[in-house]
Amino acid sequence: MVAREGVPTVRTRVRRPAGTLTAVSALHDLDPAATFRDRIEVMNAGRVAAAGSPAEVITQELVAVVYRVGAVVSPDGPEGRPSVRFCTGRP
């Protein structure tokens, strides 16, 4: 039920001027999200935990809170975008 209620909100927020392209996708893997999207939103427990550019959003702290794992986040992805390497164990 929550997902259906959220769809009109998403549809309203992604409207852009004519001639521009907008794609909405759900990705669970952070590296492709950082590589192929200019803006991302990370959800946690049905709420937006963070929104912005991949560099603003994908941080070690966010990964620890949302995914409940340790990670090293570094700017060595394509074009300096964040790259995530998960660590064993909890944060």
Side-chain angles (χ1 to χ4, degrees):
M1 187 64 96
V2 172
R4 289 182 182 203
E5 291 173 1
V7 170
T9 302
V10 170
R11 202 175 297 141
T12 300
R13 289 180 16 201
V14 297
R15 289 185 183 156
R16 300 281 187 239
T20 62
L21 179 64
T22 298
V24 176
S25 58
L27 301 172
H28 296 259
D29 190 333
L30 295 174
D31 282 334
T35 300
F36 300 113
R37 300 293 176 248
D38 296 322
R39 176 178 164 74
I40 61 174
E41 291 186 0
V42 175
M43 305 291 291
N44 187 22
R47 293 183 170 26
V48 175
S53 72
E56 295 169 330
V57 172
I58 301 175
T59 64
Q60 290 175 203
E61 296 80 12
L62 177 111
V63 173
V65 170
V66 174
Y67 289 84
R68 298 185 190 135
V69 296
V72 174
V73 178
S74 57
D76 59 354
E79 299 176 8
R81 291 176 179 242
S83 176
V84 180
R85 285 184 219 87
F86 292 99
C87 305
T88 57
R90 296 185 70 116

